[in-house]
Amino acid sequence: MKSSTYAVGGSRHKSTSCNTHQRTYISPMKRLHAIAFAVSIPFASAAFAQKIGEVDTAFKLIGPDHKIVVEAFDDPKIAGIT
């Protein structure tokens, strides 16, 4: 831990710091995995659901309307059931 003195508004203050300006190294492979995970998140729910229909229940002038959405999901344990 190093100690330094600096001036603020004409008075002197003593400060201690522990290498606060060093960046943490992240390996390129970890960075690649994080990017791949972040990009795949929006596609995860779209791959499993099939949209059957939707109905607007309330009209809003500003913002999205209130909706009821019906989706179908395949059951992986039973063949032919949605």
Side-chain angles (χ1 to χ4, degrees):
M1 188 180 314
K2 61 183 178 177
S3 176
S4 63
T5 304
Y6 60 95
V8 175
S11 63
R12 292 180 163 235
H13 296 278
K14 194 167 187 176
S15 168
T16 58
S17 64
C18 295
N19 298 329
T20 57
H21 298 293
Q22 288 184 349
R23 293 186 180 219
T24 305
Y25 177 74
I26 300 174
S27 70
M29 197 62 156
K30 283 185 180 181
R31 188 177 305 235
L32 180 65
H33 284 134
I35 291 170
F37 179 72
V39 168
S40 66
I41 288 174
F43 300 108
S45 63
F48 299 117
Q50 179 183 1
K51 189 173 180 180
I52 303 296
E54 66 180 47
V55 177
D56 289 336
T57 58
F59 175 75
K60 291 174 57 179
L61 188 59
I62 299 175
D65 294 345
H66 296 192
K67 294 180 183 179
I68 296 176
V69 178
V70 178
E71 295 179 336
F73 297 89
D74 290 329
D75 190 350
K77 294 181 181 178
I78 303 172
I81 300 295
T82 302

